[in-house]
Amino acid sequence: MQKTFSFQFDKLYAPLKDHFYVNVPFPLPPSMIDNAMQAFFKFLAEPELTKSHIDFNIAPLHRRGDIGFKHRNANDHLYNDNKDFFHFHPDIFQKYPDFLARHPVVQDFCLKAKPIWDLAYQTVYEILLAFEPNFPKTCEKIFATESVHLILRFLKYDWDHSGKYLAKPHYDAGSFTLAIAESGPGLRIGSGPENLKLVQHQPQNAVFMLSSNFQKVIQTDELAAAWHDVIQLDETFIGKPYARWALVTFIEAHGVEAMPRSVTHQWFTESTADE
């Protein structure tokens, strides 16, 4: 793999230890992200059968290996939030060539997603490469598999009424998360409810943080997974087509199981059975 970044271990490790995330370069023109998000919104306008046709799993052991479209309704879902999201992985092109050829809106969306996924792959690889001298086989635990568990999520939050949270506090289910872009501020990160702080995305940068399964890759007690949520900051979006959009990559080691929701979503698990 051609090296495009030069990450230094100390400059990654220190902010992860102190702030539970680190800003890393993500040199993608903003127009490419905007065009991909517009393609996503066009995809969301497609018929339900078209949107839901792509449906497979790249990691059967893991509840975050699902590829394709999902709708979540606060009234009937465990997480109590409203959102539409699509998990992109380039395996789509191999599994659904005929379907993509017959559905140009879906094909255009996937083609615009692919270079973003590629840069996310490269970025995460170079980040983890910097960990290798201190934590051997870090890259191997993620990338030594036929289908790398790196999922690009296109996400649209709905907001029909005033309330504090767009996403309830939680740990992500994978090993690492790379938050690439968002339509506006609202993401807060800390190690727990007592120290959540608002994160401001920087132009052509992404936010890298540790998720609940990070110790399957990096075994250390000095670092902690990033506890985070998303709050609404602009009430002018009430009743609009969307409250917020975000573009996030979830990364997991291959051949491992996700942490139970009793760990990742401690917000509600005292009163809700784990699934």
Side-chain angles (χ1 to χ4, degrees), residues 62-63 170-177 209-216 224-228 251-252 257-261 263-266:
H62 201 281
R63 58 185 164 88
H170 64 284
Y171 298 112
D172 285 336
S175 295
F176 311 104
T177 298
M209 54 186 170
L210 308 182
S211 302
S212 60
N213 247 2
F214 82 92
Q215 294 229 24
K216 299 285 179 68
W227 181 256
H228 59 286
I251 305 99
E252 178 61 294
E257 295 186 39
M259 292 286 190
R261 289 187 176 91
V263 173
T264 62
H265 288 71
Q266 298 173 23

Side-chain angles (χ1 to χ4, degrees), residues 54-174:
I54 294 172
D55 185 14
F56 65 100
N57 198 300
I58 61 169
L61 291 175
H62 201 281
R63 58 185 164 88
R64 261 299 156 259
D66 51 323
I67 305 300
F69 170 75
K70 297 290 184 294
H71 171 74
R72 187 176 290 169
N73 191 305
N75 295 325
D76 58 18
H77 196 278
L78 185 67
Y79 295 120
N80 300 116
D81 50 15
N82 290 305
K83 62 180 67 171
D84 287 326
F85 58 89
F86 186 93
H87 285 168
F88 172 83
H89 191 279
D91 283 4
I92 290 173
F93 295 112
Q94 296 154 10
K95 292 180 177 292
Y96 295 91
D98 296 337
F99 173 77
L100 293 176
R102 296 194 309 269
H103 295 84
V105 171
V106 184
Q107 184 176 54
D108 180 65
F109 170 42
C110 290
L111 288 172
K112 286 182 168 65
K114 177 61 162 56
I116 302 174
W117 188 94
D118 288 342
L119 184 58
Y121 182 109
Q122 184 73 36
T123 302
V124 172
Y125 183 88
E126 298 293 351
I127 289 171
L128 298 185
L129 192 62
F131 278 78
E132 284 281 345
N134 299 80
F135 300 95
K137 298 186 177 181
T138 297
C139 287
E140 178 181 317
K141 293 172 184 177
I142 300 292
F143 294 98
T145 181
E146 183 177 347
S147 189
V148 174
H149 191 152
L150 191 151
I151 293 172
L152 180 62
R153 173 184 280 190
F154 289 79
L155 174 61
K156 176 179 78 74
Y157 293 98
D158 296 325
W159 181 19
D160 296 326
H161 57 276
S162 182
K164 184 177 182 182
Y165 292 106
L166 289 174
K168 296 288 180 21
H170 64 284
Y171 298 112
D172 285 336

Side-chain angles (χ1 to χ4, degrees), residues 79-83 153 155-159 163-172 179 181-190 196-199 201 209 227-234 243-248 250 267:
Y79 295 120
N80 300 116
D81 50 15
N82 290 305
K83 62 180 67 171
R153 173 184 280 190
L155 174 61
K156 176 179 78 74
Y157 293 98
D158 296 325
W159 181 19
K164 184 177 182 182
Y165 292 106
L166 289 174
K168 296 288 180 21
H170 64 284
Y171 298 112
D172 285 336
E182 57 186 354
S183 58
L187 173 65
R188 301 190 304 177
I189 298 176
L196 286 170
K197 293 183 180 179
L198 195 66
V199 175
H201 261 90
M209 54 186 170
W227 181 256
H228 59 286
D229 63 12
V230 178
I231 58 172
Q232 57 199 37
L233 296 175
D234 189 346
R244 187 176 184 271
W245 61 255
L247 191 56
V248 184
F250 300 116
W267 171 263

